[in-house]
């Protein structure tokens, strides 16, 4: 059995912590990573030279020109107008992402219903109508049928409103569900036909859903504009609370842990009590017995707080969480003492290596740089296609959907065979090698994003592990702790172990990319009826999720061994795995108990800040009721503060978590290497020695 778990560490009298005399590891992976980064820069430069982000910002007319772009003739025409919005309901729109109708850049959307014939006969309306026609149209030289035949003007105008810089019908619903546009239900389409307002619903139904979302988004934006400074104050409070909590952990770790456990139980208990009171107070209120299912999706989320079922659901969820927390504490009570000792030791380590608390700022800055480069490159890649024009017509024609060129279209025989055909901008694409392999560039961008992000995370883990290992293996603390342990550890990681970090992050990135592809396939198969394919896909997603978690756990411990011994990634991963397997009970209990206690710390900080923000923004505190901003949704700043508080607390506690994991592995190594004799003394603290009922001979003689 011992052979399957590797050999225990043997005593080495020269070992005094992280080895300084080390060499470069995983050189091939280091070279591969450098080449990949250079290729990433090349892809970025190529994308930046070919891409045009204006295609995302500005809508384009039928000739591919940008509406509202500064420095162009269309600078004062920021809105896109469709000649016949009904054609946007065609399936072609979904296939080619372009309505098969003439599109024009205009200064403003039409505000009234009018036909071309009516404008043609009324000279007072001609100038208004001409702003929605192509340039060069002359009502005095052409008849209305000729204008329609040449596609110079739309057959009719209707009341429209700008949405995402596009003129869409101003649809609204009157009592009884009657759909109207500008208080009218029936329209003359300018071609002798009567059109019902409901016919425009298919062309705009998708925009109607988006309009509802837009209304919610606008209300949320308004809430942010009036509460942003209070949100910042809440986040600053969360940072201060986190710092105070960490400082107190150093001196009062045992008391703080027990206080934290009790406080978490009390906070969750208060949540249950509050939900129960709201549930009781709503009894007998009109409409409070409506179920969430019957209520459906509402844009005003405060409506859900007026029904009893919502508070009942909250109360049940919080009760389950409370029971789980209490049961875990009861069954793991004997291991909590050792976990507290590890956290105390971690507090001392962080106290002696205070610069470790600020290292997450470097990790955050590097991750922000990686995310920004990926996002900018993705935008330029997605907008680096050329303008593709196709033949659009309303009748049967052999040239339909063929590519064409606007500048030479009128000289071809297409117009002779298909009189109603037009050469319109269809979509962005291309036939060059660059455009053919554009999807590969996008995939490379995503893959390198994962690889670089994981590398930055790994660099932070190795740096912190090396610093905290220097603390643990210093026999006389703090005298034997080297100067600037964070800088020394960071230098060793970059100089010797870039290849090992790249290797570990590459393995994790491959699994993450596969998970992304599985999510993409899942989205594609949502409309499919093949249950076996869906079941197989769900199983694969679950398996790769578990695999990712396992790889993250193994990588984390492998990086600790890399930081201490300076060996290659595979060797370090094997040593860490066997070390953990030889101490599987301690790993399963102690390590996870400390993780759980640190999670409770984050939960307590988030709970304190969240409850305070709830009472403030909801106006429950009478003393500051007039100070609190007036909001559409008071949960918007509350949720922002809660999420921000968790991220802040997570940033501080991630240092603690890495410290605990490093000290835990060093603790296991210490037990295997040493036996407490004068020749092989333990390096662990006296507190841990007492809990484990062990001692060093020198200390025992001193006591005697």
């Amino acid at each position: 059995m011992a052979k399957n778990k590797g050999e225990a560490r043997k005593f080495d009298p020269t070992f005094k912590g992280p080895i300084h005399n080390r060499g470069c590891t995983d050189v091939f992976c280091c070279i591969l990573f450098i080449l990949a980064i250079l290729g990433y820069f090349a892809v970025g430069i190529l994308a930046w030279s070919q891409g045009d982000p204006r295609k995302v910002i500005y809508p384009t007319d039928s000739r591919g020109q940008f509406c509202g772009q500064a420095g162009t003739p269309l600078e004062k025409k920021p809105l896109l107008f469709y000649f016949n919005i009904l054609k946007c309901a065609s399936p072609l729109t979904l296939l080619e992402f372009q309505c098969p109708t003439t599109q024009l850049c205009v200064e403003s959307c039409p505000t009234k219903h009018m036909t071309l014939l009516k404008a043609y006969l009324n000279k007072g309306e001609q100038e208004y109508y001409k702003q929605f026609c192509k340039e060069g149209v002359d009502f005095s030289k052409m008849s209305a049928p000729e204008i329609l035949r040449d596609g110079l003007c739309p057959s009719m105008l209707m009341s429209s409103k700008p949405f995402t810089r596009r003129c869409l019908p101003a649809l609204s619903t009157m009592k009884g569900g009657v759909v109207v546009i500008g208080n009218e239900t029936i329209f003359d389409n300018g071609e002798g036909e009567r059109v019902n307002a409901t016919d425009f619903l298919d062309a705009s139904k998708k925009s109607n859903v988006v309009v509802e979302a837009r209304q919610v988004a606008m209300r949320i934006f308004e809430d942010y504009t009036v509460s942003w400074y209070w949100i910042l104050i809440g986040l600053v409070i969360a940072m201060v609370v986190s710092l105070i909590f960490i400082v107190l952990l150093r001196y009062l770790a045992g008391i703080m842990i027990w206080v934290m456990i009790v406080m978490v139980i009390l906070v969750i208990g208060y949540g249950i009590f509050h939900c129960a009171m709201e549930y009781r107070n709503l009894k007998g209120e009109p409409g409070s017995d409506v179920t969430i299912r019957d209520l459906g999706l509402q844009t005003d989320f405060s409506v859900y707080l007026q029904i009893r079922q919502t508070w009942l659901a909250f109360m049940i969820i919080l009760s389950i969480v409370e029971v789980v927390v209490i049961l875990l504490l009861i069954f793991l009570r004997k291991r909590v003492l050792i976990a507290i000792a590890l956290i105390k030791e971690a507090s001392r380590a962080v106290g002696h290596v205070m610069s470790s608390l600020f290292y997450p700022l470097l990790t955050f800055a590097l991750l922000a740089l990686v995310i920004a480069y990926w996002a900018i490159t993705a935008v330029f890649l997605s907008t680096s296609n050329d303008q593709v024009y196709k033949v659009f017509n309303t009748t049967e024609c052999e040239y339909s959907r063929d590519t064409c060129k606007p500048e030479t279209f009128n000289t071809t025989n297409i117009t002779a065979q298909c009189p109603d055909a037009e050469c319109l901008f269809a979509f962005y694409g291309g036939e060059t090698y660059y455009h053919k392999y554009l999807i590969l560039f996008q995939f490379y961008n995503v893959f390198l994003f994962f690889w670089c992000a994981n590398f930055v995370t790994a660099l932070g883990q190795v740096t912190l592990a090396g610093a905290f290992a220097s603390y643990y293996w210093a026999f006389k603390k703090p005298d034997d702790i080297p100067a600037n342990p964070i800088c020394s550890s960071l230098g060793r990681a970059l100089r010797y172990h870039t290849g090992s970090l790249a290797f570990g992050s590459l393995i994790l990135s491959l699994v993450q990319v596969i998970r992304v592809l599985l999510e993409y396939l899942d989205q594609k198969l949502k409309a499919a009826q093949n249950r076996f394919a869906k079941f197989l896909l769900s199983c694969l997603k679950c398996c790769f999720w578990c695999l990712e978690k396992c790889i993250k756990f193994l990588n984390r411990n492998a990086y600790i061994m890399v930081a201490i011994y300076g060996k290659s990634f595979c060797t370090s991963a094997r040593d860490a795995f066997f070390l953990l397997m030889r101490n599987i009970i301690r790993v399963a209990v102690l390590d996870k108990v400390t993780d759980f206690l640190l999670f409770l710390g984050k939960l307590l900080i988030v709970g304190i800040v969240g409850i305070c923000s709830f009472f403030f923004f909801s106006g429950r505190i009478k003393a500051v009721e007039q100070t609190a901003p007036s909001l559409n949704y008071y949960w918007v700043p509350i949720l922002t503060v809660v999420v921000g508080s968790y991220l802040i607390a997570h940033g501080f506690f991630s240092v603690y978590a890495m410290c605990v994991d490093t000290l835990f592995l060093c603790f296991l190594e210490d037990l295997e290497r040493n036996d407490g004799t004068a020749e092989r003394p333990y390096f662990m603290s006296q507190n841990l020695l007492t809990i484990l009922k062990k001692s060093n001979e020198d200390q025992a003689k001193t006591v005697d």
Side-chain angles (χ1 to χ4, degrees), residues 261 265 325-333 336 596-597 600:
I261 292 171
I265 294 174
V325 170
I326 292 174
L327 288 177
L328 284 173
L329 290 172
I330 291 173
F331 287 109
L332 300 178
R333 64 188 185 278
V336 170
F596 177 66
L597 292 177
L600 290 183

Side-chain angles (χ1 to χ4, degrees), residues 274-397:
H274 181 79
C275 293
M277 292 300 295
E278 292 286 349
Y279 180 77
R280 190 187 69 175
N281 293 336
L282 287 174
K283 186 176 182 180
E285 292 290 330
S288 62
D289 292 327
V290 177
T291 64
I292 296 176
R293 185 175 182 179
D294 293 337
L295 191 61
L297 179 63
Q298 300 293 327
T299 56
D300 186 3
F301 296 101
S302 62
V303 174
Y304 294 104
L305 301 180
Q306 308 302 319
I307 60 176
R308 302 182 75 202
Q309 193 180 71
T310 302
W311 294 105
L312 179 63
F314 287 159
M315 185 170 60
I316 292 172
I317 293 171
L318 289 175
S319 299
I320 293 172
V321 173
E322 183 87 322
V323 170
V324 170
V325 170
I326 292 174
L327 288 177
L328 284 173
L329 290 172
I330 291 173
F331 287 109
L332 300 178
R333 64 188 185 278
K334 293 183 179 179
R335 300 288 181 175
V336 170
L337 290 175
I338 301 179
I340 291 175
L342 274 175
I343 291 179
K344 282 184 177 180
E345 195 67 17
S347 301
R348 296 191 189 96
V350 172
H352 289 296
V353 191
M354 286 297 291
S355 57
S356 62
L357 289 176
F358 301 98
Y359 185 84
L361 296 177
L362 176 61
T363 300
F364 175 79
L366 291 175
L367 284 176
L369 184 64
V370 170
I371 293 172
Y373 185 87
W374 163 77
I376 294 172
T377 304
V379 169
F380 274 88
L381 283 173
S382 61
T383 59
S384 58
N385 287 310
D386 295 328
Q387 299 166 357
V388 176
Y389 297 86
K390 289 196 173 186
V391 177
F392 289 91
N393 59 288
T394 55
T395 59
E396 290 294 329
C397 178

